[in-house]
Amino acid sequence: QVQLVESGGGLVQAGDSLRLSCAASGRTVSRYGMGWFRQAPGKEREFVASIDWSGGTTYAADSMKGRFTLSRDNTKNALYLQMNSLKPEDTAVYYCAAGIGSTSPSGYYYWGQGTQVTVSS
């Protein structure tokens, strides 16, 4: 079993940056694809970015490309999301997930509890 805990969320202003972290425990996630999703109030969970098990291949949703960067450190069993040039529409709860790695939530077996990101205008 894998436990995922997100951190790094908070309240920032438009144009600011945040770095989200996801710490995994229970077993190594080094062989799993990992990803970030987000969910705003009243909306469905939305794909943000994913990374393969080695960290060599990343994929981001179109609206995040150029602003969000995903990385992982398998020696620390951790996943990171660097978010720059934040916009009010980025406001959501951000979730870390581990699984086969895809743009769909169904491609993930394990989920964290989420961290709130609020961007004020």
Side-chain angles (χ1 to χ4, degrees):
Q1 194 75 350
V2 174
Q3 292 80 43
L4 301 173
V5 178
E6 303 93 339
S7 62
L11 172 63
V12 296
Q13 293 186 332
D16 285 351
S17 299
L18 275 177
R19 187 187 193 218
L20 304 184
S21 298
C22 174
S25 62
R27 61 188 292 183
T28 180
V29 293
S30 63
R31 293 298 180 180
Y32 289 106
M34 298 191 75
W36 287 95
F37 288 77
R38 68 186 186 184
Q39 189 165 18
K43 295 187 177 181
E44 294 187 351
R45 193 162 294 192
E46 175 187 24
F47 171 75
V48 174
S50 63
I51 189 167
D52 72 346
W53 69 272
S54 69
T57 302
T58 61
Y59 182 75
D62 287 344
S63 62
M64 290 77 162
K65 287 180 181 177
R67 299 191 300 127
F68 292 8
T69 303
L70 186 60
S71 62
R72 67 188 297 167
D73 186 340
N74 286 338
T75 66
K76 297 182 178 179
N77 231 19
L79 177 72
Y80 307 100
L81 181 68
Q82 178 66 43
M83 305 187 295
N84 299 327
S85 302
L86 283 163
K87 305 174 182 180
E89 51 263 44
D90 294 319
T91 295
V93 176
Y94 284 71
Y95 297 91
C96 167
I100 63 172
S102 76
T103 61
S104 169
S106 63
Y108 296 87
Y109 313 132
Y110 305 106
W111 291 85
Q113 293 301 305
T115 185
Q116 175 71 47
V117 172
T118 303
V119 184
S120 64
S121 58

